[in-house]
Every structure is written in structure tokens, then in C-alpha cells.
Amino acid sequence: VFDEGRPRELHLDRGIAAANLEAWRHPGPSVAEDLPGGWKRLAACRHFATDAREVTGAFTYRPDPVRFEILISIEGTGQFNGQKFAAGDVWLIPRGSEGIELRGDSLRLLRTYVPA
């Protein structure tokens, strides 16, 4: 309802009356929720879910066999099925993938996917 730098009359009362603020109401910050396997749910909606997990040492990640997932390393270095990786590396995990061997010290991972 603001017309930056344009010299014309503004109709703020009409703009506010026409705005539907309820349609875009944000529920507020999410609270992390503990999940099985050491994961924490950070955020979820009907479009996506994002979970976090910290890893120290060896860990076998077993992705859900019926969905694609994205796995993101956000901190630390390690090995993904024997291949070195660092923070910022991202993997698309296809549906039906078998277990993935992860190894590292102080790894922080995110996984995101479309919920069923």
C-alpha cells in the first residue's frame, strides 16, 4: 500500500481495507521436535519437511524407501560411502536407496523431502 517515490495520492484506507491479512498469517517460529533415529524436526508443512541430525563417528543412514530426499552437510567434514565431503555438499537420495555409510566428526546434516 506504499508507492515508493511516486508523486501521487495514496489511498491507504482503501488498501488496508482490501488487504486480507488472515490469509497470510504465519504460525510463528517452529519448535524442534525429537524424531526417531536422532533426528529433530525443524520445520514441516504440506510442501516439505526439514530435519537435522548431528553425527560423530560412524552412522548408517537408512533413507525412507518410498521418497526422494535431499541430504545436506551444513557443518564438518567426513566420508559419504567412502568419498570425502565437506560442509556445503548436497546429495539427492533417490527413492529406494539402500543404507548410506557416513563417517565424520561433529557433522551437522539436514534432510528435506516432500511428506506423504
Side-chain angles (χ1 to χ4, degrees), residues 93-115:
I93 311 297
R95 177 181 20 220
S97 292
E98 295 184 14
I100 297 163
E101 296 299 320
L102 294 164
R103 180 177 296 279
D105 293 318
S106 301
L107 297 177
R108 291 186 63 212
L109 302 172
L110 293 179
R111 72 174 173 196
T112 192
Y113 53 90
V114 177

mmCIF file of all heavy atoms in Angstrom, residues 93-115:
data_model
loop_
_atom_site.group_PDB
_atom_site.id
_atom_site.type_symbol
_atom_site.label_atom_id
_atom_site.label_comp_id
_atom_site.label_asym_id
_atom_site.label_seq_id
_atom_site.Cartn_x
_atom_site.Cartn_y
_atom_site.Cartn_z
ATOM 1 N N ILE A 93 19.033 -38.169 -2.759
ATOM 2 C CA ILE A 93 18.932 -39.587 -2.436
ATOM 3 C C ILE A 93 17.686 -40.129 -3.140
ATOM 4 O O ILE A 93 16.565 -39.786 -2.772
ATOM 5 C CB ILE A 93 18.810 -39.805 -0.907
ATOM 6 C CG1 ILE A 93 19.879 -39.007 -0.142
ATOM 7 C CG2 ILE A 93 18.850 -41.287 -0.585
ATOM 8 C CD1 ILE A 93 21.294 -39.391 -0.430
ATOM 9 N N PRO A 94 17.854 -40.956 -4.172
ATOM 10 C CA PRO A 94 16.702 -41.474 -4.909
ATOM 11 C C PRO A 94 15.832 -42.400 -4.070
ATOM 12 O O PRO A 94 16.312 -43.055 -3.131
ATOM 13 C CB PRO A 94 17.330 -42.256 -6.061
ATOM 14 C CG PRO A 94 18.737 -41.801 -6.142
ATOM 15 C CD PRO A 94 19.118 -41.389 -4.757
ATOM 16 N N ARG A 95 14.587 -42.464 -4.425
ATOM 17 C CA ARG A 95 13.652 -43.408 -3.807
ATOM 18 C C ARG A 95 14.217 -44.818 -3.965
ATOM 19 O O ARG A 95 14.769 -45.166 -4.998
ATOM 20 C CB ARG A 95 12.310 -43.266 -4.518
ATOM 21 C CG ARG A 95 11.259 -44.202 -4.059
ATOM 22 C CD ARG A 95 9.959 -44.039 -4.798
ATOM 23 N NE ARG A 95 10.101 -43.374 -6.071
ATOM 24 C CZ ARG A 95 9.249 -42.478 -6.565
ATOM 25 N NH1 ARG A 95 8.183 -42.157 -5.892
ATOM 26 N NH2 ARG A 95 9.442 -41.920 -7.719
ATOM 27 N N GLY A 96 14.101 -45.615 -2.914
ATOM 28 C CA GLY A 96 14.565 -46.999 -2.969
ATOM 29 C C GLY A 96 16.045 -47.174 -2.671
ATOM 30 O O GLY A 96 16.560 -48.285 -2.783
ATOM 31 N N SER A 97 16.744 -46.090 -2.277
ATOM 32 C CA SER A 97 18.176 -46.209 -1.980
ATOM 33 C C SER A 97 18.403 -47.050 -0.729
ATOM 34 O O SER A 97 17.591 -47.050 0.197
ATOM 35 C CB SER A 97 18.792 -44.829 -1.758
ATOM 36 O OG SER A 97 18.802 -44.100 -2.954
ATOM 37 N N GLU A 98 19.523 -47.749 -0.739
ATOM 38 C CA GLU A 98 19.903 -48.555 0.416
ATOM 39 C C GLU A 98 20.639 -47.688 1.423
ATOM 40 O O GLU A 98 20.828 -46.498 1.209
ATOM 41 C CB GLU A 98 20.770 -49.721 -0.055
ATOM 42 C CG GLU A 98 19.992 -50.669 -0.956
ATOM 43 C CD GLU A 98 20.799 -51.880 -1.358
ATOM 44 O OE1 GLU A 98 21.855 -52.131 -0.743
ATOM 45 O OE2 GLU A 98 20.362 -52.574 -2.286
ATOM 46 N N GLY A 99 21.106 -48.297 2.503
ATOM 47 C CA GLY A 99 21.801 -47.562 3.552
ATOM 48 C C GLY A 99 23.034 -46.835 3.043
ATOM 49 O O GLY A 99 23.720 -47.309 2.135
ATOM 50 N N ILE A 100 23.315 -45.686 3.640
ATOM 51 C CA ILE A 100 24.458 -44.856 3.278
ATOM 52 C C ILE A 100 25.372 -44.782 4.490
ATOM 53 O O ILE A 100 24.919 -44.460 5.595
ATOM 54 C CB ILE A 100 23.988 -43.441 2.883
ATOM 55 C CG1 ILE A 100 23.101 -43.528 1.647
ATOM 56 C CG2 ILE A 100 25.180 -42.517 2.659
ATOM 57 C CD1 ILE A 100 22.271 -42.287 1.411
ATOM 58 N N GLU A 101 26.638 -45.085 4.277
ATOM 59 C CA GLU A 101 27.605 -45.046 5.372
ATOM 60 C C GLU A 101 28.188 -43.631 5.466
ATOM 61 O O GLU A 101 28.811 -43.142 4.530
ATOM 62 C CB GLU A 101 28.725 -46.066 5.141
ATOM 63 C CG GLU A 101 28.258 -47.503 5.144
ATOM 64 C CD GLU A 101 27.635 -47.921 6.463
ATOM 65 O OE1 GLU A 101 28.144 -47.520 7.532
ATOM 66 O OE2 GLU A 101 26.619 -48.648 6.415
ATOM 67 N N LEU A 102 27.956 -42.998 6.600
ATOM 68 C CA LEU A 102 28.508 -41.670 6.879
ATOM 69 C C LEU A 102 29.504 -41.799 8.016
ATOM 70 O O LEU A 102 29.286 -42.543 8.972
ATOM 71 C CB LEU A 102 27.398 -40.704 7.280
ATOM 72 C CG LEU A 102 26.386 -40.383 6.195
ATOM 73 C CD1 LEU A 102 25.147 -39.756 6.790
ATOM 74 C CD2 LEU A 102 27.005 -39.470 5.167
ATOM 75 N N ARG A 103 30.584 -41.054 7.907
ATOM 76 C CA ARG A 103 31.605 -41.055 8.957
ATOM 77 C C ARG A 103 32.161 -39.641 9.048
ATOM 78 O O ARG A 103 32.426 -39.002 8.043
ATOM 79 C CB ARG A 103 32.712 -42.036 8.613
ATOM 80 C CG ARG A 103 33.823 -42.105 9.648
ATOM 81 C CD ARG A 103 34.847 -43.165 9.279
ATOM 82 N NE ARG A 103 34.276 -44.500 9.292
ATOM 83 C CZ ARG A 103 34.088 -45.236 10.395
ATOM 84 N NH1 ARG A 103 34.413 -44.754 11.562
ATOM 85 N NH2 ARG A 103 33.572 -46.441 10.302
ATOM 86 N N GLY A 104 32.306 -39.164 10.275
ATOM 87 C CA GLY A 104 32.887 -37.846 10.454
ATOM 88 C C GLY A 104 32.871 -37.424 11.904
ATOM 89 O O GLY A 104 32.378 -38.138 12.773
ATOM 90 N N ASP A 105 33.434 -36.277 12.153
ATOM 91 C CA ASP A 105 33.464 -35.705 13.489
ATOM 92 C C ASP A 105 32.675 -34.413 13.487
ATOM 93 O O ASP A 105 32.914 -33.538 12.651
ATOM 94 C CB ASP A 105 34.900 -35.433 13.934
ATOM 95 C CG ASP A 105 35.688 -36.718 14.123
ATOM 96 O OD1 ASP A 105 35.108 -37.672 14.676
ATOM 97 O OD2 ASP A 105 36.852 -36.771 13.700
ATOM 98 N N SER A 106 31.755 -34.318 14.401
ATOM 99 C CA SER A 106 30.941 -33.101 14.573
ATOM 100 C C SER A 106 30.245 -32.688 13.280
ATOM 101 O O SER A 106 30.279 -31.523 12.889
ATOM 102 C CB SER A 106 31.797 -31.957 15.112
ATOM 103 O OG SER A 106 32.367 -32.323 16.338
ATOM 104 N N LEU A 107 29.622 -33.644 12.610
ATOM 105 C CA LEU A 107 28.857 -33.345 11.400
ATOM 106 C C LEU A 107 27.484 -32.824 11.792
ATOM 107 O O LEU A 107 26.877 -33.298 12.746
ATOM 108 C CB LEU A 107 28.642 -34.600 10.560
ATOM 109 C CG LEU A 107 29.852 -35.292 9.987
ATOM 110 C CD1 LEU A 107 29.414 -36.554 9.256
ATOM 111 C CD2 LEU A 107 30.582 -34.361 9.064
ATOM 112 N N ARG A 108 26.994 -31.881 11.028
ATOM 113 C CA ARG A 108 25.602 -31.459 11.147
ATOM 114 C C ARG A 108 24.977 -31.631 9.784
ATOM 115 O O ARG A 108 25.470 -31.106 8.789
ATOM 116 C CB ARG A 108 25.516 -30.002 11.614
ATOM 117 C CG ARG A 108 25.978 -29.878 13.071
ATOM 118 C CD ARG A 108 25.797 -28.515 13.635
ATOM 119 N NE ARG A 108 24.363 -28.169 13.653
ATOM 120 C CZ ARG A 108 23.929 -26.926 13.502
ATOM 121 N NH1 ARG A 108 24.751 -25.928 13.335
ATOM 122 N NH2 ARG A 108 22.646 -26.681 13.522
ATOM 123 N N LEU A 109 23.901 -32.404 9.747
ATOM 124 C CA LEU A 109 23.222 -32.727 8.493
ATOM 125 C C LEU A 109 21.787 -32.224 8.525
ATOM 126 O O LEU A 109 21.155 -32.200 9.576
ATOM 127 C CB LEU A 109 23.203 -34.250 8.284
ATOM 128 C CG LEU A 109 24.536 -34.967 8.254
ATOM 129 C CD1 LEU A 109 24.309 -36.469 8.230
ATOM 130 C CD2 LEU A 109 25.334 -34.530 7.048
ATOM 131 N N LEU A 110 21.300 -31.872 7.351
ATOM 132 C CA LEU A 110 19.890 -31.600 7.148
ATOM 133 C C LEU A 110 19.373 -32.582 6.121
ATOM 134 O O LEU A 110 20.084 -32.936 5.184
ATOM 135 C CB LEU A 110 19.656 -30.179 6.599
ATOM 136 C CG LEU A 110 19.968 -28.993 7.481
ATOM 137 C CD1 LEU A 110 19.683 -27.694 6.710
ATOM 138 C CD2 LEU A 110 19.190 -29.033 8.764
ATOM 139 N N ARG A 111 18.136 -32.996 6.289
ATOM 140 C CA ARG A 111 17.463 -33.744 5.227
ATOM 141 C C ARG A 111 16.138 -33.053 4.989
ATOM 142 O O ARG A 111 15.494 -32.538 5.913
ATOM 143 C CB ARG A 111 17.261 -35.215 5.596
ATOM 144 C CG ARG A 111 16.213 -35.444 6.646
ATOM 145 C CD ARG A 111 15.933 -36.914 6.871
ATOM 146 N NE ARG A 111 15.029 -37.052 8.015
ATOM 147 C CZ ARG A 111 14.825 -38.166 8.659
ATOM 148 N NH1 ARG A 111 15.435 -39.277 8.273
ATOM 149 N NH2 ARG A 111 13.996 -38.214 9.670
ATOM 150 N N THR A 112 15.752 -33.014 3.744
ATOM 151 C CA THR A 112 14.467 -32.409 3.403
ATOM 152 C C THR A 112 13.790 -33.254 2.340
ATOM 153 O O THR A 112 14.453 -33.914 1.537
ATOM 154 C CB THR A 112 14.632 -30.934 2.977
ATOM 155 O OG1 THR A 112 13.384 -30.298 2.911
ATOM 156 C CG2 THR A 112 15.373 -30.806 1.676
ATOM 157 N N TYR A 113 12.461 -33.252 2.387
ATOM 158 C CA TYR A 113 11.692 -34.102 1.481
ATOM 159 C C TYR A 113 10.255 -33.612 1.457
ATOM 160 O O TYR A 113 9.845 -32.800 2.293
ATOM 161 C CB TYR A 113 11.758 -35.567 1.916
ATOM 162 C CG TYR A 113 11.374 -35.788 3.357
ATOM 163 C CD1 TYR A 113 10.046 -36.032 3.714
ATOM 164 C CD2 TYR A 113 12.316 -35.713 4.365
ATOM 165 C CE1 TYR A 113 9.677 -36.206 5.038
ATOM 166 C CE2 TYR A 113 11.962 -35.891 5.692
ATOM 167 C CZ TYR A 113 10.651 -36.139 6.014
ATOM 168 O OH TYR A 113 10.288 -36.306 7.322
ATOM 169 N N VAL A 114 9.491 -34.136 0.519
ATOM 170 C CA VAL A 114 8.067 -33.837 0.438
ATOM 171 C C VAL A 114 7.337 -34.899 1.243
ATOM 172 O O VAL A 114 7.482 -36.092 0.963
ATOM 173 C CB VAL A 114 7.581 -33.847 -1.027
ATOM 174 C CG1 VAL A 114 6.089 -33.615 -1.094
ATOM 175 C CG2 VAL A 114 8.341 -32.812 -1.851
ATOM 176 N N PRO A 115 6.581 -34.506 2.254
ATOM 177 C CA PRO A 115 5.863 -35.506 3.066
ATOM 178 C C PRO A 115 4.807 -36.238 2.240
ATOM 179 O O PRO A 115 4.301 -35.721 1.253
ATOM 180 C CB PRO A 115 5.187 -34.685 4.163
ATOM 181 C CG PRO A 115 5.779 -33.323 4.093
ATOM 182 C CD PRO A 115 6.369 -33.159 2.731
#
